[in-house]
Amino acid sequence: MSSSNKILAVDGLTIGAGGESEVAPVVDRIDLTLAQGSALGIAGESGSGKSTLLLAMMGVVKPGLELRAGTCRFGQLDLFAAPPAALEKLRGGRLALVPQNAGLALTPNIRIGDQIAEVLRYHAGPADQERHNAHIAELLALVRLPDPELLGRRFPHELSGGQLQRVGIAMALAGQPDLLLLDEPTTGLDVTTQLGILELLEDIRRKQGMAMVCVSHDLGVLARLCGDIAIMYAGRLVEQGPATRLLTQPAHPYSRALLASIPRLASAGIPTGIPGRPPAPDQALAGCRFAPRCRHADRTCSDVVPPSRDLTTGHLVACHHPQLGMEPGSAVAKLATRQHPGATEARLLVDGLSVTYQRRGLLPGLRQTQAKRALDRVSLILHRSEILGLVGESGSGKSTLLKALAGLWPVLEGRAVMDEHRDLTEPVQKRDRDSLRRMQLIFQNPDASLNPRHTIREILSQPLRLYFSLSRTEVEARASRLLGDVRLDASYLDRQPAELSGGERQRVAIARAFAAEPDVILCDEITSALDVSVQASVLQIIRELTQEKQVACLFVSHDLAVVNAIADRIAVLYRGQLVELGEARQVCAAPAHTYTRQLLAAVLEPPASGGGTVSGAPA
């Protein structure tokens, strides 16, 4: 690649904790180049250094870290040596970032259009208000948002997650960037919205000649969007090369293990996660950092850092034994077929349930009948020890159903009964303590649901003290057992949520829900932000606990492959109506409804070993 064609060059980049040279770097001797108009994907488990590397590509180092060695150049500009004024003008203009959670990146009390206008004024120069408004409408239309003029006058809280993500992309495009950095751009989005955003990004990249770097835990997303993929582990690049070759012929055992952790529509079971966990920052490892988790590791792997070798043109791997390891898909844990309980063992009965977006007001009868229905006469049964997967696009009513069942949103009409006699149409404030105990909700984002000031001991002790008459010693013992149930040891009791990884925080949230010994748990997109290996572990935990505790589970997810892996049956919602309900394998293998077929067609899966195309990609 000629130097004139490079838009980004990372050379020997090392970033670590400030003043602590004995602590392993978060980013360790990274070498990467990116050509104009190309797209690079970066994958790896949580804590592998992906986001730190992405921020470094903007000349940003996270607080508590420092640049130890190396350079990062945007064109001819050294981002770590450039004056602040040059970087301020560059960021948001020629070099733009789309953060993982666009909702948190937007100012909540400023209208969408005004926030985009601020970017335009700074990077596109002064213009009259009419011209700015037209440009804002063009940007919102470019990211395929409906009614751009109206949407520009709304506040962030009035938009869905998918709409907020598109607004984030529109703001990044406002400065007409040459390089767009994307941090988990489709996390939490339903499959059709995800595919639409990826097609949008691909179309913009081709038309504008814009380069992209995309960080994602979803290898299917990277296979769809990126021409090249780099795999990171514990701060190091272990493999990089053309996406098709790396995904079909992975050479590093870690790459193969990641691919084996991905649930696939063709596999009826939960994939196994990668045994063990990445090394802690203070854990000294002389050789390959993946060696403690690799079943093929020998003394050389433990003692000698593997050099990066070129297997074929452009396919690099840092491994002493690149041809060893498991084939993708070989580690899928097959689940035995279970007979579903009879109707007499139903834990939850929903009959003709309807919910509107509008709360009750002064004229409840008139307003409720005229308001749009978020749920329209939904009926379903959930049995003991059963996992019912609930899928559909954003706005289909999935989370609304969970909120209605939990008493967090009023019901317009219909019945919802737990254990044959507990009325779930009552708001949560009117439910007795035992009814509250028997139904627990696990939220999508554990960061928002766990008190950051409390230790894990306090978080788990609260439901135990609330619902049971236990001594202090009994509370302590049960809290330790709960952590064991979610495969965390008792040492976590004295930690706070900020000291845990995202997957560990979600496990704590699961443990807290099961602390109440519920009959029904409601899971709202609980794996959407997890990397594939941690996701596999969390799915296995949910499956084991529902069977062991005989708990019924309503599992909401936008990922049909995940739902197929864990659920006994699948219910498909479309615009508030239940359009299909059946056995998981049957729904995924032979869907009866056109909408279900569209959802399945939008699922992105990386190609299996030996070749193949990416599901959802154009022919």
Side-chain angles (χ1 to χ4, degrees):
M1 182 188 301
S2 67
S3 58
S4 61
N5 194 35
K6 290 181 183 178
I7 191 169
L8 182 74
V10 179
D11 184 17
L13 187 67
T14 302
I15 296 173
E20 300 182 31
S21 58
E22 71 279 4
V23 177
V26 178
V27 169
D28 192 5
R29 290 166 287 180
I30 299 295
D31 296 311
L32 282 173
T33 58
L34 186 68
Q36 293 176 353
S38 63
L40 170 69
I42 302 176
E45 291 176 288
S46 298
S48 62
K50 306 186 301 296
S51 294
T52 301
L53 175 59
L54 194 74
L55 288 176
M57 293 176 182
M58 295 193 76
V60 175
V61 177
K62 292 180 179 179
L65 301 177
E66 67 178 13
L67 177 68
R68 291 187 183 177
T71 59
C72 185
R73 293 183 176 275
F74 178 73
Q76 300 301 313
L77 182 67
D78 186 340
L79 294 175
F80 291 108
L87 289 176
E88 186 177 343
K89 190 65 178 177
L90 182 69
R91 295 169 183 157
R94 294 181 59 213
L95 180 58
L97 172 70
V98 178
Q100 177 174 350
N101 191 331
L104 293 179
L106 296 171
T107 305
N109 61 343
I110 299 179
R111 298 181 191 275
I112 295 297
D114 292 337
Q115 298 193 52
I116 299 176
E118 185 178 353
V119 179
L120 290 173
R121 284 192 295 269
Y122 190 80
H123 292 287
D128 59 75
Q129 188 63 42
E130 185 176 348
R131 188 173 178 182
H132 271 324
N133 289 342
H135 197 171
I136 292 166
E138 288 175 5
L139 286 167
L140 294 177
L142 181 64
V143 295
R144 301 170 189 172
L145 283 167
D147 202 349
E149 291 80 7
L150 175 62
L151 192 138
R153 296 194 294 271
R154 291 183 176 176
F155 292 96
H157 71 270
E158 298 179 282
L159 275 62
S160 69
Q163 290 174 328
L164 288 173
Q165 200 66 20
R166 289 171 187 252
V167 169
I169 295 171
M171 290 185 67
L173 295 176
Q176 298 181 333
D178 297 321
L179 174 59
L180 185 64
L181 306 177
L182 303 134
D183 191 4
E184 301 280 2
T186 61
T187 293
L189 303 182
D190 60 73
V191 289
T192 53
T193 302
Q194 172 181 263
L195 183 58
I197 285 179
L198 294 178
E199 289 175 343
L200 165 70
L201 289 169
E202 187 176 34
D203 184 57
I204 292 172
R205 180 180 67 83
R206 287 176 176 173
K207 289 180 178 178
Q208 300 185 6
M210 179 176 60
M212 291 182 188
V213 178
C214 179
V215 162
S216 180
H217 65 271
D218 191 331
L219 284 165
V221 166
L222 298 185
R224 181 65 175 80
L225 184 64
C226 303
D228 294 280
I229 291 177
I231 306 293
M232 287 190 74
Y233 182 78
R236 293 177 181 167
L237 283 181
V238 298
E239 189 167 2
Q240 54 182 306
T244 302
R245 179 174 176 83
L246 189 149
L247 295 173
T248 58
Q249 301 177 55
H252 198 282
Y254 178 62
S255 304
R256 299 186 182 200
L258 278 181
L259 286 165
S261 300
I262 299 173
R264 297 176 183 268
L265 291 171
S267 301
I270 299 174
T272 57
I274 304 174
R277 55 185 300 174
D282 58 353
Q283 183 177 351
L285 294 173
C288 175
R289 291 183 179 173
F290 188 63
R293 304 173 73 185
C294 180
R295 62 190 180 96
H296 299 288
D298 55 21
R299 179 168 294 181
T300 301
C301 300
S302 300
D303 296 341
V304 180
V305 176
S308 182
R309 64 180 72 181
D310 199 336
L311 297 181
T312 61
T313 303
H315 187 180
L316 306 175
V317 61
C319 180
H320 292 295
H321 312 294
Q323 301 307 323
L324 298 179
M326 58 184 178
E327 290 298 326
S330 63
V332 172
K334 298 297 182 182
L335 298 179
T337 302
R338 295 187 294 113
Q339 296 295 323
H340 294 296
T344 56
E345 297 183 81
R347 286 292 199 192
L348 178 66
L349 171 65
V350 178
D351 183 21
L353 196 70
S354 294
V355 174
T356 70
Y357 286 124
Q358 185 172 332
R359 291 185 180 273
R360 298 186 185 276
L362 296 175
L363 299 173
L366 176 61
R367 292 184 178 180
Q368 293 289 337
T369 54
Q370 291 182 346
K372 180 181 178 181
R373 293 193 176 192
L375 291 175
D376 189 9
R377 296 185 293 273
V378 170
S379 299
L380 54 84
I381 297 176
L382 183 61
H383 300 97
R384 183 196 306 268
S385 302
E386 180 188 34
I387 299 177
L388 175 62
L390 194 61
V391 299
E393 295 172 290
S394 297
S396 62
K398 307 185 302 297
S399 295
T400 301
L401 177 57
L402 296 195
K403 290 177 183 178
L405 294 176
L408 302 177
W409 197 263
V411 172
L412 174 62
E413 61 185 18
R415 284 198 311 147
V417 181
M418 181 171 56
D419 292 335
E420 298 185 350
H421 68 280
R422 297 180 185 274
D423 184 9
L424 298 180
T425 60
E426 287 188 340
V428 66
Q429 298 89 340
K430 294 185 178 181
R431 297 185 185 182
D432 60 66
R433 182 173 297 183
D434 194 49
S435 294
L436 294 174
R437 178 188 68 80
R438 289 176 182 272
M439 176 173 285
Q440 295 292 311
L441 177 61
I442 305 175
F443 295 93
Q444 177 177 357
N445 186 358
D447 295 337
S449 62
L450 301 179
N451 192 322
R453 296 183 180 86
H454 287 179
T455 64
I456 305 306
R457 173 182 281 103
E458 292 171 308
I459 289 171
L460 296 181
S461 297
Q462 287 172 350
L464 295 173
R465 291 194 298 263
L466 177 64
Y467 296 122
F468 308 104
S469 299
L470 300 175
S471 67
R472 183 173 181 178
T473 302
E474 290 172 326
V475 168
E476 181 83 8
R478 194 173 291 191
S480 296
R481 286 200 302 271
L482 285 166
L483 282 182
D485 287 341
V486 294
R487 301 174 191 166
L488 296 175
D489 60 61
S491 66
Y492 282 78
L493 286 171
D494 293 317
R495 302 187 191 183
Q496 292 181 316
E499 300 176 80
L500 276 60
S501 69
E504 290 169 340
R505 288 193 291 270
Q506 196 60 282
R507 293 185 188 201
V508 171
I510 293 170
R512 181 179 61 181
F514 278 92
E517 298 184 4
D519 293 331
V520 177
I521 60 169
L522 309 175
C523 299
D524 191 6
E525 298 276 10
I526 64 171
T527 64
S528 62
L530 303 181
D531 61 70
V532 289
S533 179
V534 175
Q535 173 182 264
S537 299
V538 169
L539 293 177
Q540 192 63 43
I541 288 168
I542 291 291
R543 165 62 86 185
E544 290 173 357
L545 289 177
T546 53
Q547 292 183 347
E548 178 186 339
K549 312 291 186 183
Q550 295 189 334
V551 174
C553 174
L554 190 57
F555 189 93
V556 165
S557 177
H558 66 274
D559 192 329
L560 271 165
V562 166
V563 172
N564 180 50
I566 191 174
D568 302 299
R569 292 185 299 144
I570 293 178
V572 182
L573 281 176
Y574 176 66
R575 295 186 177 180
Q577 294 185 331
L578 188 63
V579 297
E580 187 160 357
L581 175 64
E583 298 290 324
R585 297 181 189 181
Q586 179 66 26
V587 170
C588 290
H593 198 278
T594 302
Y595 177 65
T596 309
R597 290 194 288 270
Q598 291 174 350
L599 289 179
L600 289 166
V603 173
L604 296 174
E605 292 182 349
S609 178
T613 58
V614 181
S615 178

